[in-house]
Amino acid sequence: MTSNASLEQLRRCHLAVDLGAARTRVFVKGAGLVVDQPSAAAVNTRTGALIAVGEFAERMTGRTPAYIRVVRPVQGGSVVHIDMAQRMLRHLLGEKLRRALRRKPWLRAAACTPHDADPLAQRAAVETMVGLGARRVELVDTLIAAAVGCGLPVERPEATMILMCGAATTQVAVLSLGSIVTAQRIPVGGEAIDHAIVQHLRHHHELMLPSQSVRPLQVALSGNGLTEHGPTSTEIHGRDVATGLARSVRVDTAAVRDAIHTPLTAVLDGIGKVLRDCPPDLVADLADRGIMMVGGSALLPGLDEMLREATGMPVAIAERPDVCAILGIGSMLEGKVQPMVLNPMAV
């Protein structure tokens, strides 16, 4: 097991897995991205049997009878339930793919781990992959994988800044010469923003939302939702806290913006800290190149605009922000990433 795999070792891997708090993605060499499903599994608590995984289990959330529980084996970017994560992965891969992988005499796998993941979290990622039959597991820093995946010139001496907006955590890093110069992991992600909206509606409108309808609210804020130019109000359907009956309210979007300001401020503080810890030469690069946003929550309407206003730096969203990390690790597997030549004179 290596904590920071070299490109040479990654080229020998057969598959790569990005186990996120929200979604699980699997890349198989030669087949590309084969799994992109929610990280959820529904279990029958009486028998311990697995009822559903991925999309189907996600749809069951908040709708199940008492004996069915929807489990999320990954929290905060780390595997918290190894056995469940293995079972979920097995089902997501499907019989056909698993048979093909079993034929490999010495199966090697790569897995993404968050920046500064502690040894326990790294161990859990390795154990999960070993449960799938991997004989050797390489761990790759999610930030580097995502930077490669969105086409940043990672191995060059110029600085690039990447902001990875996940469901449970946000990671900010400055990369140069193929590795991380400074980085921060902020325990605030898309879920914290959802939670802030739910609390706001509960306290100010006495409205409870079904567990899966926070996303429509973000869509209602769409376009430049987090900035002042968005729609002034939006209609939301939910359940009255007191009577339990369905009702709808018109919500002032400015108030919703205020509600999600607190989690977003934590992200801005993290960016500030990374810039303060960064060598001045690299900060000068960043002023021109700005921040690249990746991760599923990067698509939160207006978030890029808000960061632009707060930092005064150019902010861009990657082409497919949600799958950058897995595509990056995939291109490493397929040998598309060239290692940096340190002394070009000697070549």
Side-chain angles (χ1 to χ4, degrees), residues 196-209 241:
I197 295 175
V198 168
Q199 292 296 27
H200 169 78
L201 290 174
R202 196 174 180 135
H203 294 315
H204 296 272
H205 299 280
E206 293 186 345
L207 196 73
M208 270 171 78
L209 284 183
V241 173

Side-chain angles (χ1 to χ4, degrees), residues 149-298:
C150 63
L152 288 176
V154 186
E155 61 288 339
R156 302 275 298 279
E158 291 91 31
T160 45
M161 188 176 203
I162 190 162
L163 180 71
M164 181 132 197
C165 315
T169 54
T170 301
Q171 302 174 67
V172 197
V174 173
L175 306 166
S176 179
L177 292 173
S179 53
I180 291 170
V181 182
T182 61
Q184 277 289 316
R185 190 165 159 206
I186 309 143
V188 167
E191 285 169 3
I193 292 170
D194 288 354
H195 186 67
I197 295 175
V198 168
Q199 292 296 27
H200 169 78
L201 290 174
R202 196 174 180 135
H203 294 315
H204 296 272
H205 299 280
E206 293 186 345
L207 196 73
M208 270 171 78
L209 284 183
S211 61
Q212 295 171 7
S213 79
V214 183
R215 294 284 165 215
L217 189 60
Q218 293 177 354
V219 173
L221 292 174
S222 63
N224 27 27
L226 298 176
T227 56
E228 279 76 58
H229 322 300
T232 50
S233 68
T234 177
E235 189 155 340
I236 291 162
H237 307 284
R239 195 176 76 181
D240 191 291
V241 173
T243 62
L245 299 173
R247 72 182 173 97
S248 59
V249 290
R250 281 210 81 76
V251 176
D252 187 25
T253 45
V256 174
R257 275 202 300 275
D258 286 346
I260 56 185
H261 213 267
T262 316
L264 290 177
T265 310
V267 174
L268 290 174
D269 289 349
I271 294 175
K273 185 158 178 18
V274 165
L275 288 171
R276 283 197 300 279
D277 295 348
C278 197
D281 295 11
L282 294 181
V283 176
D285 286 351
L286 293 173
D288 306 333
R289 311 182 71 135
I291 304 173
M292 176 65 86
M293 290 172 67
V294 297
S297 302

Side-chain angles (χ1 to χ4, degrees), residues 5-26:
S6 72
L7 286 171
E8 198 45 56
Q9 289 160 329
L10 282 171
R11 270 186 205 158
R12 299 197 193 117
C13 290
H14 302 104
L15 83 155
V17 175
D18 178 11
L19 272 170
R23 293 184 83 84
T24 293
R25 301 181 173 96
V26 182

Side-chain angles (χ1 to χ4, degrees), residues 2 72 123 161 272 296 332:
T2 54
R72 296 191 167 276
R123 183 89 225 141
M161 188 176 203
M332 291 180 199

